C-alpha cells in the first residue's frame, strides 16, 4: 500500500514542523501546509492529499468552515487534530463531514494509525470525545433519523455493512468478513451514508445508536 499523503493545516509553524517530522518518520508523506482555513482549502484543491490534518481554531477562516468546503467539494478527507474538545467544536467538525477527531495529546502511533484509517475510508475518534460526540449527534437528530436504520430502503448487504460500521470494522475487515471486494465495500459504505443522510462513518454510527430506555 502506498504511503498516504497529508496536508497540515495549523496556524502554529512549530506545530506543523513537529507534525511533519513525526509523520514522515512513520512513512506518511506530507505534501503541503496551511496556516489558515482559506489556504487549507486552496492547497487541498491544488494538492489533492488523501487527508487534511485540520486544526479548528485558526485566524481568519476557522477549521470547521474549511472542513465543510473541502468535504463538500470532494477534495480530501479531513482528520481534525486540535487542542480543544468543547462540545460545539466536536459537533461542528463532525457535522461538517470530518472523518475523525483527535486531540493534540494523542501519541505518534495513534495519530499515524488514524491517518492511515482515514486515508483508507475509515474513521477515527479520540476516546475522550467519542461518547459526547455520539450523544450530541443523537440529541440533534430528529426522531425519524434515529429510526432510519430500520427502514426498508437499506438492502440486506447495506444492513450488514452498517452493522460492521457500528462494530467499528474497517473497510478491509468488512471485505474479509462479508467475502466481498474492497471497492464493493466502499460502494456499499457510500450508499449507506447517503441513505442515512450521514456525512461520515462516525456520523452514521451516531445517527443509528439509540439512547437506552
Amino acid at each position: 500500500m502506498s504511503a498516504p499523503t497529508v496536508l497540515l493545516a495549523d496556524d502554529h509553524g512549530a506545530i506543523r514542523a513537529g507534525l511533519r517530522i513525526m509523520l514522515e518518520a512513520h512513512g506518511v508523506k506530507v505534501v503541503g501546509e496551511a496556516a489558515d482555513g482559506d489556504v487549507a482549502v486552496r492547497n487541498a484543491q491544488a494538492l489533492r492529499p488523501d487527508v487534511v490534518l485540520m486544526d479548528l481554531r485558526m485566524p481568519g477562516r476557522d477549521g470547521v468552515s474549511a472542513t465543510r468546503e473541502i468535504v463538500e467539494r470532494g477534495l480530501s478527507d479531513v482528520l481534525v487534530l486540535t487542542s480543544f474538545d468543547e462540545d460545539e467544536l466536536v459537533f461542528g467538525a463532525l457535522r461538517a463531514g470530518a472523518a475523525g477527531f483527535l486531540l493534540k495529546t494523542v501519541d505518534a502511533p495513534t495519530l499515524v494509525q488514524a491517518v492511515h484509517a482515514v486515508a483508507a475510508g475509515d474513521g477515527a475518534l479520540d476516546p475522550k470525545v467519542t461518547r459526547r460526540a455520539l450523544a450530541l449527534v443523537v440529541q440533534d437528530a430528529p426522531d425519524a433519523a434515529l429510526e432510519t436504520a430500520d427502514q426498508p430502503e437499506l438492502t440486506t448487504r447495506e444492513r450488514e455493512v452498517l452493522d460492521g460500521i457500528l462494530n467499528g470494522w474497517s473497510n478491509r475487515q468488512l471485505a474479509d468478513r462479508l467475502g466481498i471486494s474492497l471497492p464493493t465495500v466502499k460502494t456499499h459504505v457510500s450508499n449507506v451514508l447517503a441513505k442515512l443522510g450521514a456525512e461520515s462513518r462516525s456520523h452514521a454510527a451516531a445517527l443509528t445508536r439509540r439512547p437506552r430506555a
Side-chain angles (χ1 to χ4, degrees):
M1 179 185 297
S2 59
T5 58
V6 172
L7 169 67
L8 303 175
D10 195 294
D11 59 317
H12 292 96
I15 291 178
R16 296 197 307 272
L19 288 171
R20 178 184 285 272
I21 292 171
M22 180 195 308
L23 293 170
E24 292 185 340
H26 288 80
V28 176
K29 184 177 181 181
V30 177
V31 295
E33 300 183 12
D36 62 61
D38 282 327
V39 176
V41 173
R42 291 199 299 269
N43 286 354
Q45 180 177 8
L47 300 170
R48 296 303 177 97
D50 296 316
V51 179
V52 176
L53 201 55
M54 180 75 75
D55 192 15
L56 292 182
R57 289 189 173 171
M58 296 181 286
R61 187 174 188 178
D62 65 80
V64 172
S65 173
T67 293
R68 181 175 295 106
E69 182 170 349
I70 288 170
V71 172
E72 287 179 350
R73 295 174 58 187
L75 303 178
S76 175
D77 286 317
V78 176
L79 172 60
V80 169
L81 181 66
T82 184
S83 300
F84 307 98
D85 66 344
E86 289 97 333
D87 290 348
E88 181 180 356
L89 290 177
V90 175
F91 184 58
L94 293 179
R95 288 290 295 169
F101 191 109
L102 297 178
L103 299 177
K104 287 181 179 177
T105 53
V106 68
D107 57 33
T110 302
L111 175 59
V112 171
Q113 182 180 20
V115 168
H116 278 275
V118 171
D122 296 327
L125 278 178
D126 193 300
K128 294 178 182 177
V129 303
T130 299
R131 182 168 296 180
R132 285 187 295 120
L134 293 174
L136 282 167
V137 178
V138 168
Q139 288 172 8
D140 180 72
D143 292 341
L146 296 176
E147 299 297 330
T148 302
D150 292 332
Q151 299 303 314
E153 63 188 54
L154 290 180
T155 67
T156 300
R157 181 63 81 189
E158 288 167 353
R159 289 175 186 273
E160 292 173 343
V161 169
L162 178 58
D163 286 342
I165 291 174
L166 295 176
N167 287 328
W169 296 349
S170 68
N171 285 352
R172 173 56 62 189
Q173 288 173 314
L174 281 166
D176 292 342
R177 291 171 182 262
L178 299 180
I180 55 180
S181 69
L182 193 56
T184 300
V185 168
K186 292 180 179 179
T187 297
H188 285 312
V189 170
S190 296
N191 290 342
V192 168
L193 297 185
K195 289 182 177 181
L196 293 180
E199 298 172 5
S200 67
R201 293 168 65 107
S202 301
H203 191 193
L207 286 174
T208 51
R209 291 183 191 275
R210 298 173 179 78
R212 295 181 181 275

